[in-house]
Structures are given as structure tokens and as C-alpha cells.
């Protein structure tokens, strides 16, 4: 069945306890906080969810808990991200077995595949699952791009239903939209600071790490835009952007986890070697949350 990615999907963190294990009670609390905040889906175990640190068994357990707690209230998207095609296929099959609604598949990382190899990677993953697949381009982190003409080809594969574009380049976003016009294909903005701009181009929503912290405010960007209140949508965007810029205060995703701590959601630390913010960085983050009206 075709699933149209749209609205605001929070790129959910993976909360940890003091022993560095997944904190399932906090995970459930966070899911309810996000859904009560009006999000249009849950995006689990992506970059913000520190996918690279989880074993396949932990991956399964987090998805099982997420699907159970979400209980069909919104769709669940699962990251299926790996260096090799083989390992991405294994993750897609675990996610499908658990019962998620859709997959997000990142480009390979560390290696440097050609664009034709990138095409073959996504085609193979899509052909090994019945689930809808959302492509994921995060070239600033992976250094592996998905060219617009490759996305246009991939959009013709039945269960490839869209792309999360975290390049931060609205020209790329626009080309994805232009070249897939007429297909059942959605372009979702993955850079929190330009969700409004992407919506103006024709994007169908955003996958936002900031929505962990401020789901209602991030959803306002989309909801106000769809209601025709462009001034209100832009105002919400301007309120969210300082938090996105603050990601540079520490090593990602430390800012998101520490912001949640300040809001009373004990997200815990990040997987080592990512450490906490300094005292000065916490003071800056606290002021940003105050300015956003969250504290």
C-alpha cells in the first residue's frame, strides 16, 4: 500500500540509562510526548537515533518497543542504515518483521560508491522488502550524495516513495521535486532550519531532530503553512532555527539529549566517544530554550 510521507516526523533520539543501555521507559515517555505534540509519524533509529551504535538485536528491541507504544496512532519509520547493501537488507528485513510502516535508507557511508552503485544499492534494498522506502541523503555527514537524476530513476521503483534531503541545499531539494513531478514521490526536508523554504518549493514536510525537543513548535511550521498562514509558519521557523544552529555547540546529538534533560525527559548520555556539553555550552542551550518559550 502506498504511504505518502508528509508532515513533521521527529528524528527520534535513542535514550540511554546510566549504564549506557537503551532506556525503554524513557523511550515510551518520549514517544507519547512527541505524539501529543502533534507529529505526523515517528522516525526511529536514524542519525539522531545513533543507528551506528546499535547491535541488530538492540535495533529489533527498540523498534518493537516503538511499534508497541505508538500503537498505530501514527506511522513508524525505521532507519535501515549500513555501509553495505547486504547489511541494509538485513535491517530492512528485521524492521519488516517487527511491523514498522516504512523504512528510511541512508546512502552507504565511509566508502565512495559511484552514482550507478548508489542506484543499485537502493534498488536492491527496495526489492528485498514489501515496505515503502524513503531514500535518505545526508551527504554532509556521509560524503556520499544522491544526484537528482538518480533519484528520478529510483522514484520509478514502486515502493520507493520519497527522500529525506539533509543536504541543506535548496537547489538540490528543488531538483528532487522538479524531476519527480508526476510520480507518487515525496520530498521531505531533513534540515530543520529550512523546512519553511522547502515547503515553498513543494516539499511535503520535514524530518526534524528539533522536533524531539519542541514537537508542537516544529509542527506549527507545517500546519500553519498548509492552512495558508505563511507568516505564522515563517515565525515558527525562525523560533526553531536557533536550536538547529545550536547543534554545533557539541558533538551531535548531544545538544538534543541535553535539551530533553532540561525539559524533564531523562534522555541520558550519547554513546561514547560523544561526550556531554561543557558548562558554558549548557548555559547557551538553556538560553535558547528560554527564548523558544520551552523553559
Amino acid at each position: 500500500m502506498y504511504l505518502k510521507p508528509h508532515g513533521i516526523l521527529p528524528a527520534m533520539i535513542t535514550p540511554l540509562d546510566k549504564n549506557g543501555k537503551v532506556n525503554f521507559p524513557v523511550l515510551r515517555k518520549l514517544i507519547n510526548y512527541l505524539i501529543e505534540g502533534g507529529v505526523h509519524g515517528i522516525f526511529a533509529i536514524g542519525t539522531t537515533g545513533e543507528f551506528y551504535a546499535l547491535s541488530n538485536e538492540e535495533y529489533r528491541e527498540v523498534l518493537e518497543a516503538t511499534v508497541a507504544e505508538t500503537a498505530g496512532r501514527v506511522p513508524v519509520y525505521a532507519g535501515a542504515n549500513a555501509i553495505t547493501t547486504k547489511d541494509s537488507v538485513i535491517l530492512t528485513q528485521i524492521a519488516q518483521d517487527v511491523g514498522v510502516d516504512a523504512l528510511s535508507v541512508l546512502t552507504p557511508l565511509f566508502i565512495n560508491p559511484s552514482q550507478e552503485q548508489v542506484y543499485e544499492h537502493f534498488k536492491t534494498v527496495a526489492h528485498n522488502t514489501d515496505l515503502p522506502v524513503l531514500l535518505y541523503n545526508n551527504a554532509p555527514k556521509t560524503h556520499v550524495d544522491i544526484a537528482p537524476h538518480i533519484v528520478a530513476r529510483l522514484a520509478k521503483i514502486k515502493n520507493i516513495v520519497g527522500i529525506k534531503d539533509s543536504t541543506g541545499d535548496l537547489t538540490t531539494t528543488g531538483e528532487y521535486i522538479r524531476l519527480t513531478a508526476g510520480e507518487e514521490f515525496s520530498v521531505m526536508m531533513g534540515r530543520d532550519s529550512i523546512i519553511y523554504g522547502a515547503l515553498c518549493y513543494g516539499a511535503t514536510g520535514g524530518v526534524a531532530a528539533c522536533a524531539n525537543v519542541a514537537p508542537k513548535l516544529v509542527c506549527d511550521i507545517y500546519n500553519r503553512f498548509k492552512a495558508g498562514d505563511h507568516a505564522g509558519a515563517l515565525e515558527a521557523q525562525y523560533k526553531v532555527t536557533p536550536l538547529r544552529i545550536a547543534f554545533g555547540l557539541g558533538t551531535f546529538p548531544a545538544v538534543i539529549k541535553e535539551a530533553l534533560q532540561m525539559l524533564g525527559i531523562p534522555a541520558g548520555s550519547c554513546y561514547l566517544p560523544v561526550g556531554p556539553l561543557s558548562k558554558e555550552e549548557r548555559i547557551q542551550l538553556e538560553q535558547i530554550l528560554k527564548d523558544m518559550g520551552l523553559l
Side-chain angles (χ1 to χ4, degrees), residues 8 40 196 199 216-237 239:
I8 298 299
H40 302 83
Y196 176 82
L199 291 172
K216 291 180 181 178
L217 182 57
V218 180
C219 286
D220 262 356
I221 303 171
Y222 175 82
N223 292 335
R224 289 179 181 274
F225 186 92
K226 295 298 287 184
D229 179 11
H230 287 210
L234 185 56
E235 181 184 2
Q237 178 68 83
K239 287 181 179 177

Side-chain angles (χ1 to χ4, degrees), residues 275-287:
L277 301 185
S278 67
K279 180 180 178 180
E280 293 75 18
E281 288 167 340
R282 285 195 196 94
I283 291 171
Q284 292 181 60
L285 178 58
E286 185 175 8
Q287 186 59 54

Side-chain angles (χ1 to χ4, degrees), residues 17-34:
D17 63 23
K18 62 182 180 180
N19 296 313
K21 302 294 185 182
V22 177
N23 191 327
F24 288 100
V26 175
L27 177 69
R28 290 188 283 270
K29 179 178 180 179
L30 178 60
I31 288 168
N32 287 302
Y33 172 69
L34 298 174

Side-chain angles (χ1 to χ4, degrees), residues 76-87:
V76 173
Y77 294 70
N81 310 318
I83 294 174
T84 66
T85 305
K86 169 181 67 72
D87 287 329

Side-chain angles (χ1 to χ4, degrees), residues 6-78:
H6 73 283
I8 298 299
L9 310 178
M12 189 171 66
I13 59 109
T14 302
L16 303 182
D17 63 23
K18 62 182 180 180
N19 296 313
K21 302 294 185 182
V22 177
N23 191 327
F24 288 100
V26 175
L27 177 69
R28 290 188 283 270
K29 179 178 180 179
L30 178 60
I31 288 168
N32 287 302
Y33 172 69
L34 298 174
I35 293 175
E36 289 163 9
V39 301
H40 302 83
I42 296 291
F43 191 106
I45 319 182
T47 308
T48 309
E50 299 174 275
F51 73 86
Y52 42 79
L54 297 175
S55 68
N56 285 4
E57 185 56 35
E58 289 170 322
Y59 176 79
R60 178 185 290 274
E61 290 171 351
V62 171
L63 291 184
E64 286 175 342
T66 301
V67 169
E69 191 63 32
T70 302
R73 289 176 287 173
V74 294
V76 173
Y77 294 70

